[in-house]
Amino acid sequence: MKITIIGTGYVGLVSGVLFADLGNDVICVDNDNKKINLLKKGIVPIYEPGLEEILKKNIKSKRIKFTSNISEAIKLSKIIFIAVGTPTAKDGISADLKNVYKVAKDISKNINNYKIIVNKSTVPIGTGDEVEKIILRKNKKNKFDIISNPEFLREGEAIRDFKYPDRIVIGSNNLKKTKPILEKLYLPIINKGAKFLVVSRRSSELIKYASNAFLATKITFINEIANLCESTNTNVEDIAIGIGTDQRIGSRFLRAGPAFGGSCFPKDIRAIVKTANKFSVDLSIIKTVIKSNENRKKLITDKIIKILGSVRRKRIGFLGVTFKANTDDMRDSQFLKIYPKLLKRGALLSYYEPTGKKYEIKSSKIKFVSSIKQILENNDMIVIHTEWDEFRSINFSNFNIKKGTKIFDLRNLYKIKNISNKKIRYYSIGRPNYE
Ligand code: UDX
């Protein structure tokens, strides 16, 4: 099938590369020429394990092309995916839809024959209706259909999530015409076991937000239980297994940690609250999740200060600063909320990050170091901020760690009983302390 994907961010690029790998002819469009030139050379501008190899393979077999010529790309394909960013707007809450509407206008000017326009961007309920109105200004109703097809892939796991999703959600108000085409496109994935769910367009738009809100709630729930564990000498990991084995609850997304971050959860839960407000509906649980998650970043910062007594002139080294492992993404990383208070209180901060120096860290006072060794051997406290495999397998005995060094493991990477190094004091999340 001939597919055009507009937007080469996480969702657009991963979808484009993997649709090509399924045997389709894909054109990826972006207005960022620099990005397009890199992609043409087979260079992936984001960190996503395995993606570059699949990209190179499909460039070689000419199944994927990159261009900034949106008009031509629209004319050449029957299925047009919109996969542009919907960041938080200036008000700090709503989804900013200007990219989506701009693309809708571009599409409206270039419809030469029947098109299925599939929206993969995360958009509030009713955005499909708005896109339809924009395109109707220049085109007859029978020339196109607008579908919602949210994407649920996680950064760092994007390839697996795209190939083996639990479900594919299609929201359409013209099922008769659009369902068989979308079903055919997704058939290789459906055949591997993904459920193919067909709902109305507005319901599909809400499914994406409700999924993210539920997962964020689940994480926040276990994070609050972890707080209780710390005060009652109980172990949050035992609790997570104890409740997660109940199939009504489920064991995934019950890892306590430093608060959730990233490009989706924080932005999407703010946006769903905003949408609900518009309809005079009070999403009180989700509002509480937002508040609890923000408080958690303060709580973690305060715990660092408490463990060290005072942080003034104390050296604190972070292992990882992105919002989770296997990504180079700093969007809504917890670290960005943790470091300012530490700096203000006079701490001397450094970090090692497997994906390199981070320019999103505004302060020049925070030193980037290029090895785990430099973090382990030169600090009063080591904060394990993300769960990269290379942090899981550190043999502390192989390093010249100063006596009394404190390790604060925000991801519970180590079994407390295995930390036998006498020089270290080990702290983690929701588990009885080492001492
Ligand atoms: C998320 C959704 O999972 C995905 O379906 C959607 O399409 C985009 O948003 P992503 O942001 O890539 O994906 O990462 P995810 O793995 O879901 O983690 C989000 C945050 O929650 C991270 O900060 C992570 O560390 C945290 N998290 C996740 C936990 O603290 N505990 C968990 O058990 C799981």
Side-chain angles (χ1 to χ4, degrees):
M1 287 176 142
K2 287 196 165 163
I3 304 172
T4 286
I5 300 194
I6 303 170
T8 56
Y10 252 102
V11 168
L13 183 59
V14 171
S15 307
V17 171
L18 292 169
F19 274 134
D21 207 45
L22 290 175
N24 299 288
D25 290 319
V26 178
I27 308 172
C28 288
V29 190
D30 206 293
N31 53 13
D32 181 342
N33 277 318
K34 232 168 104 189
K35 211 179 198 186
I36 288 294
N37 287 334
L38 284 177
L39 288 164
K40 277 182 181 167
K41 289 183 205 145
I43 300 166
V44 171
I46 48 171
Y47 180 91
E48 186 58 44
L51 192 61
E52 201 159 283
E53 287 82 343
I54 308 176
L55 169 66
K56 287 201 162 98
K57 187 179 109 190
N58 283 282
I59 291 177
K60 213 169 157 196
S61 57
K62 297 194 166 46
R63 279 199 293 259
I64 193 161
K65 288 196 182 94
F66 294 93
T67 179
S68 41
N69 186 340
I70 189 165
S71 316
E72 193 184 81
I74 292 164
K75 286 181 183 133
L76 287 172
S77 298
K78 180 174 180 178
I79 306 179
I80 319 283
F81 279 91
I82 303 178
V84 291
T86 52
T88 300
K90 283 202 182 92
D91 65 4
I93 314 166
S94 335
D96 184 343
L97 297 171
K98 70 170 182 291
N99 295 331
V100 174
Y101 293 149
K102 159 90 179 50
V103 169
K105 278 184 199 143
D106 287 334
I107 295 174
S108 76
K109 289 183 220 151
N110 289 289
I111 293 186
N112 49 343
N113 44 37
Y114 174 74
K115 309 279 179 200
I116 295 196
I117 299 148
V118 189
N119 185 35
K120 253 198 189 302
S121 301
T122 301
V123 293
I125 308 161
T127 304
D129 304 348
E130 289 303 314
V131 168
E132 189 168 81
K133 275 188 211 154
I134 292 171
I135 298 179
L136 271 174
R137 281 183 212 147
K138 285 197 181 293
N139 299 276
K140 293 219 169 69
K141 212 173 165 124
N142 62 357
K143 278 286 191 188
F144 69 96
D145 277 298
I146 312 278
I147 287 178
S148 159
N149 169 218
E151 184 51 64
F152 301 98
L153 55 84
R154 290 164 298 166
E155 293 181 15
E157 312 280 343
I159 295 171
R160 201 212 72 90
D161 285 354
F162 184 91
K163 283 182 163 175
Y164 305 98
D166 292 329
R167 79 305 206 186
I168 293 152
V169 177
I170 301 293
S172 171
N173 298 345
N174 182 6
L175 283 176
K176 209 168 148 219
K177 193 156 181 185
T178 57
K179 188 183 161 206
I181 300 170
L182 267 295
E183 203 164 9
K184 192 171 162 204
L185 176 65
Y186 278 111
L187 201 62
I189 297 175
I190 298 166
N191 284 343
K192 280 187 282 178
K195 287 207 171 76
F196 188 67
L197 305 181
V198 184
V199 296
S200 76
R201 197 166 60 207
R202 289 168 81 98
S203 297
S204 170
E205 289 167 342
L206 180 53
I207 285 172
K208 172 66 195 240
Y209 279 105
S211 289
N212 277 355
F214 189 84
L215 291 169
T217 305
K218 208 172 169 187
I219 297 166
T220 305
F221 175 83
I222 202 69
N223 281 340
E224 289 201 349
I225 294 295
N227 293 344
L228 182 58
C229 289
E230 283 170 20
S231 300
T232 54
N233 207 25
T234 48
N235 189 328
V236 73
E237 289 176 347
D238 293 339
I239 312 300
I241 295 168
I243 63 174
T245 39
D246 182 331
Q247 284 186 24
R248 292 171 299 175
I249 297 172
S251 58
R252 297 179 69 193
F253 276 66
L254 279 181
R255 271 180 291 114
F260 61 78
S263 63
C264 292
F265 287 167
K267 145 180 107 62
D268 293 350
I269 59 175
R270 285 193 293 265
I272 193 178
V273 167
K274 174 78 182 184
T275 301
N277 286 347
K278 206 171 111 190
F279 292 97
S280 306
V281 173
D282 180 20
L283 293 181
S284 64
I285 294 176
I286 304 176
K287 284 184 193 161
T288 306
V289 166
I290 295 171
K291 204 167 138 210
S292 174
N293 200 56
E294 281 312 304
N295 282 343
R296 184 155 189 82
K297 294 172 207 169
K298 287 193 203 102
L299 199 134
I300 297 286
T301 316
D302 289 343
K303 191 160 175 204
I304 292 173
I305 296 168
K306 193 174 162 206
I307 293 171
L308 285 169
S310 152
V311 291
R312 201 171 156 65
R313 302 214 59 76
K314 294 270 171 60
R315 294 178 190 280
I316 307 174
F318 283 77
L319 289 178
V321 288
T322 52
F323 77 96
K324 64 170 188 177
N326 299 317
T327 180
D328 59 355
D329 202 339
M330 286 297 288
R331 282 176 288 177
D332 261 302
S333 167
Q334 309 82 342
F335 178 76
L336 297 172
K337 287 281 171 70
I338 293 172
Y339 84 73
K341 189 166 178 183
L342 299 177
L343 270 189
K344 209 168 153 207
R345 298 270 179 113
L348 306 166
L349 303 183
S350 60
Y351 71 99
Y352 165 73
E353 164 56 45
T355 62
K357 191 171 176 177
K358 295 291 160 212
Y359 296 95
E360 296 85 346
I361 298 171
K362 294 284 182 284
S363 175
S364 57
K365 286 188 184 156
I366 304 176
K367 197 172 145 204
F368 170 69
V369 299
S370 56
S371 73
I372 294 178
K373 181 179 158 76
Q374 284 165 283
I375 292 291
L376 294 186
E377 297 188 352
N378 297 313
N379 284 294
D380 300 299
M381 177 186 267
I382 297 148
V383 180
I384 304 178
H385 183 266
T386 52
E387 67 280 30
W388 286 84
D389 282 345
E390 60 183 292
F391 303 156
R392 284 178 201 279
S393 53
I394 297 170
N395 184 345
F396 293 100
S397 313
N398 291 345
F399 294 92
N400 197 9
I401 298 179
K402 280 190 298 177
K403 194 162 188 282
T405 299
K406 295 171 169 73
I407 295 183
F408 189 12
D409 178 359
L410 304 184
R411 303 286 178 166
N412 289 358
L413 300 191
Y414 292 90
K415 292 262 170 272
I416 296 166
K417 63 176 175 5
N418 293 348
I419 297 276
S420 57
N421 192 316
K422 296 265 183 307
K423 291 178 181 168
I424 295 168
R425 291 211 169 274
Y426 178 76
Y427 303 83
S428 57
I429 298 286
R431 307 190 296 186
N433 281 337
Y434 171 63
E435 48 211 333

Short mmCIF file of all heavy atoms in Angstrom, two decimals, residues 70-71 74-75 102-112 134-135 137-139:
data_model
loop_
_atom_site.label_atom_id
_atom_site.label_comp_id
_atom_site.label_asym_id
_atom_site.label_seq_id
_atom_site.Cartn_x
_atom_site.Cartn_y
_atom_site.Cartn_z
N ILE A 70 5.50 18.40 0.96
CA ILE A 70 4.26 17.82 1.50
C ILE A 70 3.19 17.65 0.40
O ILE A 70 2.48 16.64 0.38
CB ILE A 70 3.75 18.63 2.72
CG1 ILE A 70 2.59 17.91 3.42
CG2 ILE A 70 3.37 20.04 2.37
CD1 ILE A 70 2.27 18.43 4.79
N SER A 71 3.10 18.60 -0.53
CA SER A 71 2.06 18.54 -1.56
C SER A 71 2.21 17.27 -2.39
O SER A 71 1.25 16.53 -2.59
CB SER A 71 2.15 19.73 -2.51
OG SER A 71 2.36 20.88 -1.81
N ILE A 74 1.38 14.07 -0.47
CA ILE A 74 -0.06 13.84 -0.28
C ILE A 74 -0.67 13.27 -1.56
O ILE A 74 -1.44 12.32 -1.54
CB ILE A 74 -0.77 15.16 0.14
CG1 ILE A 74 -0.32 15.57 1.55
CG2 ILE A 74 -2.30 15.00 0.10
CD1 ILE A 74 -0.64 17.00 1.93
N LYS A 75 -0.27 13.85 -2.68
CA LYS A 75 -0.85 13.42 -3.96
C LYS A 75 -0.51 11.96 -4.28
O LYS A 75 -1.29 11.25 -4.90
CB LYS A 75 -0.37 14.34 -5.09
CG LYS A 75 -1.05 15.69 -5.02
CD LYS A 75 -0.61 16.60 -6.15
CE LYS A 75 -1.26 17.96 -5.98
NZ LYS A 75 -0.34 19.06 -6.14
N LYS A 102 -2.53 22.82 10.69
CA LYS A 102 -1.71 23.26 9.54
C LYS A 102 -1.63 22.12 8.51
O LYS A 102 -1.81 22.34 7.31
CB LYS A 102 -0.33 23.66 10.08
CG LYS A 102 0.81 23.68 9.09
CD LYS A 102 0.93 25.07 8.46
CE LYS A 102 2.05 25.24 7.46
NZ LYS A 102 2.19 24.26 6.42
N VAL A 103 -1.40 20.90 9.01
CA VAL A 103 -1.32 19.75 8.10
C VAL A 103 -2.68 19.53 7.43
O VAL A 103 -2.75 19.24 6.23
CB VAL A 103 -0.87 18.48 8.88
CG1 VAL A 103 -1.03 17.23 8.04
CG2 VAL A 103 0.58 18.63 9.31
N ALA A 104 -3.77 19.70 8.19
CA ALA A 104 -5.11 19.51 7.62
C ALA A 104 -5.30 20.48 6.44
O ALA A 104 -5.83 20.09 5.38
CB ALA A 104 -6.17 19.76 8.69
N LYS A 105 -4.84 21.72 6.61
CA LYS A 105 -4.95 22.70 5.51
C LYS A 105 -4.12 22.26 4.31
O LYS A 105 -4.57 22.34 3.17
CB LYS A 105 -4.48 24.08 5.99
CG LYS A 105 -5.57 24.80 6.75
CD LYS A 105 -5.15 26.21 7.12
CE LYS A 105 -6.05 26.69 8.24
NZ LYS A 105 -5.37 27.51 9.23
N ASP A 106 -2.90 21.78 4.59
CA ASP A 106 -2.04 21.30 3.49
C ASP A 106 -2.71 20.14 2.76
O ASP A 106 -2.66 20.08 1.52
CB ASP A 106 -0.68 20.84 4.04
CG ASP A 106 0.18 22.02 4.46
OD1 ASP A 106 -0.01 23.12 3.92
OD2 ASP A 106 1.02 21.83 5.36
N ILE A 107 -3.31 19.25 3.51
CA ILE A 107 -3.97 18.10 2.88
C ILE A 107 -5.14 18.61 2.01
O ILE A 107 -5.30 18.20 0.86
CB ILE A 107 -4.47 17.08 3.94
CG1 ILE A 107 -3.27 16.45 4.67
CG2 ILE A 107 -5.32 15.98 3.28
CD1 ILE A 107 -3.63 15.54 5.83
N SER A 108 -5.91 19.54 2.58
CA SER A 108 -7.11 20.01 1.87
C SER A 108 -6.77 20.59 0.50
O SER A 108 -7.55 20.49 -0.44
CB SER A 108 -7.87 21.03 2.72
OG SER A 108 -7.22 22.26 2.67
N LYS A 109 -5.57 21.16 0.39
CA LYS A 109 -5.18 21.79 -0.89
C LYS A 109 -4.66 20.78 -1.90
O LYS A 109 -4.43 21.12 -3.04
CB LYS A 109 -4.08 22.82 -0.62
CG LYS A 109 -4.55 24.07 0.09
CD LYS A 109 -3.36 25.03 0.23
CE LYS A 109 -3.38 25.71 1.58
NZ LYS A 109 -2.07 26.08 2.06
N ASN A 110 -4.40 19.57 -1.44
CA ASN A 110 -3.71 18.62 -2.33
C ASN A 110 -4.44 17.31 -2.55
O ASN A 110 -3.83 16.33 -2.97
CB ASN A 110 -2.31 18.33 -1.75
CG ASN A 110 -1.40 19.53 -1.88
OD1 ASN A 110 -0.99 19.88 -2.98
ND2 ASN A 110 -1.15 20.20 -0.77
N ILE A 111 -5.74 17.28 -2.27
CA ILE A 111 -6.48 16.04 -2.49
C ILE A 111 -6.78 15.89 -3.99
O ILE A 111 -7.54 16.67 -4.55
CB ILE A 111 -7.77 16.01 -1.64
CG1 ILE A 111 -7.38 15.93 -0.15
CG2 ILE A 111 -8.68 14.85 -2.04
CD1 ILE A 111 -8.52 15.75 0.82
N ASN A 112 -6.14 14.93 -4.62
CA ASN A 112 -6.34 14.74 -6.07
C ASN A 112 -7.27 13.55 -6.35
O ASN A 112 -7.87 13.45 -7.40
CB ASN A 112 -5.00 14.56 -6.78
CG ASN A 112 -4.11 13.53 -6.11
OD1 ASN A 112 -4.33 13.17 -4.94
ND2 ASN A 112 -3.12 13.04 -6.82
N ILE A 134 -12.09 21.51 8.26
CA ILE A 134 -11.05 22.23 7.50
C ILE A 134 -10.96 21.66 6.08
O ILE A 134 -10.93 22.39 5.09
CB ILE A 134 -9.68 22.12 8.22
CG1 ILE A 134 -9.71 22.91 9.54
CG2 ILE A 134 -8.53 22.63 7.32
CD1 ILE A 134 -8.51 22.71 10.43
N ILE A 135 -10.96 20.34 5.99
CA ILE A 135 -10.77 19.72 4.66
C ILE A 135 -12.02 19.89 3.79
O ILE A 135 -11.92 20.06 2.57
CB ILE A 135 -10.33 18.25 4.81
CG1 ILE A 135 -8.98 18.23 5.55
CG2 ILE A 135 -10.20 17.55 3.45
CD1 ILE A 135 -8.39 16.90 5.81
N ARG A 137 -13.76 22.46 3.55
CA ARG A 137 -13.80 23.80 2.94
C ARG A 137 -13.36 23.77 1.48
O ARG A 137 -13.76 24.58 0.68
CB ARG A 137 -12.88 24.76 3.72
CG ARG A 137 -13.51 25.26 5.00
CD ARG A 137 -12.58 26.25 5.68
NE ARG A 137 -12.75 26.16 7.13
CZ ARG A 137 -11.81 26.35 8.02
NH1 ARG A 137 -10.58 26.65 7.63
NH2 ARG A 137 -12.06 26.25 9.31
N LYS A 138 -12.50 22.83 1.15
CA LYS A 138 -11.97 22.80 -0.22
C LYS A 138 -12.33 21.52 -0.97
O LYS A 138 -11.99 21.37 -2.14
CB LYS A 138 -10.44 22.93 -0.20
CG LYS A 138 -9.95 24.33 0.09
CD LYS A 138 -8.50 24.46 -0.31
CE LYS A 138 -7.95 25.83 -0.03
NZ LYS A 138 -8.51 26.90 -0.80
N ASN A 139 -12.97 20.57 -0.29
CA ASN A 139 -13.20 19.26 -0.93
C ASN A 139 -14.60 18.71 -0.64
O ASN A 139 -15.18 19.00 0.41
CB ASN A 139 -12.17 18.25 -0.39
CG ASN A 139 -10.76 18.67 -0.71
OD1 ASN A 139 -10.26 18.41 -1.79
ND2 ASN A 139 -10.14 19.36 0.23
#
